Amino acid sequence: MEIAQAAVLAKGFAATSIEEVIAEAGITKSGFFYHFRDKNELAREMLRRYVAENDRIFDEIFGRARELNDDPLQAFLLGLKLLSELARDLPGGHPGCLIASICYQERLFDRDIHETNANSVKAWNARFLGYIEEIVAVYPPRDPVNLEDVANMLSCIFDGSIIMSKALKDPAQMERQILAYRSYIKLLFSS
């Protein structure tokens, strides 16, 4: 799975062959097909794994922030700071986004993978909206905003900063973009 994910994030699904993954993993073709019916099945499992790992990271970071501060705004700001530090400490920057890879090469995948992909993004956006709604219950926004858009902005920042990091060969993009979002949240909800 790790070999396939690294290849897909580096080159995309279309350019990653089953034969290449098999050779790198040191397994036989029949060994591959014992675990995966086809490339779609591999993609489905990679996506499931990728989403679970990101969920675990968000649970750890924002859970830790809530342990350290009961105030919803301060906890969210702390969580964003911790997330930016995680991004800073990634060697060579973020390796890429499997969600975006699937979107960019949508014709390669079946409907189930597209639905799983979309549901993953919706779940992350709902998670972030929950944090924003907790903040709004205590701190009304200084400007009229659509709370879903404010929450969804964080997902856009993740994927956008991954693209910018790669295009500009600037691994610090993600850290800076998360910190810019953190400043926006602080300004939007501070009295």
Side-chain angles (χ1 to χ4, degrees), residues 160-186:
S161 64
I162 291 169
I163 293 166
M164 284 183 60
S165 291
K166 289 189 175 299
L168 302 176
K169 300 196 183 332
D170 178 8
Q173 277 292 327
M174 181 176 271
E175 176 189 14
R176 291 196 313 269
Q177 295 303 319
I178 292 170
L179 290 174
Y181 177 76
R182 183 179 184 272
S183 293
Y184 169 72
I185 294 296
K186 188 187 285 187

Side-chain angles (χ1 to χ4, degrees), residues 90-111:
L90 290 171
H94 196 286
C97 179
L98 203 56
I99 301 286
S101 295
I102 290 171
C103 289
Y104 294 144
Q105 298 181 8
E106 64 184 32
R107 292 184 178 172
L108 298 177
F109 306 105
D110 63 25
R111 188 173 40 133

Side-chain angles (χ1 to χ4, degrees), residues 107-120:
R107 292 184 178 172
L108 298 177
F109 306 105
D110 63 25
R111 188 173 40 133
D112 181 52
I113 291 176
H114 290 292
E115 287 176 13
T116 301
N117 206 31
N119 289 337
S120 301

Side-chain angles (χ1 to χ4, degrees), residues 49-63:
R49 186 173 174 258
Y50 181 83
V51 169
E53 177 63 14
N54 280 284
D55 285 343
R56 184 193 62 74
I57 290 168
F58 292 144
D59 288 344
E60 284 181 12
I61 286 177
F62 289 104

Side-chain angles (χ1 to χ4, degrees), residues 1 3 10 17 29 33 37 78 81 83 104 108 143 158 163 168 176 181 184 189:
M1 293 300 292
I3 292 167
S17 70
K29 203 167 197 174
F33 287 110
R37 185 175 54 243
L78 178 58
K81 179 66 175 156
L83 196 58
Y104 294 144
L108 298 177
D143 286 326
F158 289 140
I163 293 166
L168 302 176
R176 291 196 313 269
Y181 177 76
Y184 169 72
F189 294 110

Side-chain angles (χ1 to χ4, degrees), residues 117-133:
N117 206 31
N119 289 337
S120 301
V121 173
K122 289 175 186 175
W124 289 331
N125 290 341
R127 171 194 292 263
F128 303 141
L129 179 60
Y131 300 149
I132 299 295
E133 288 173 340

Side-chain angles (χ1 to χ4, degrees), residues 1 3-5 7-8 11-44 46 108-109:
M1 293 300 292
I3 292 167
Q5 183 169 319
V8 167
K11 303 183 300 186
F13 276 99
T16 301
S17 70
I18 291 173
E19 290 76 17
E20 168 189 356
V21 173
I22 289 168
E24 181 74 21
I27 61 173
T28 64
K29 203 167 197 174
S30 61
F32 176 87
F33 287 110
Y34 175 78
H35 294 287
F36 307 105
R37 185 175 54 243
D38 55 20
K39 202 170 177 182
N40 256 296
E41 184 80 21
L42 173 65
R44 187 174 295 105
M46 286 174 53
L108 298 177
F109 306 105

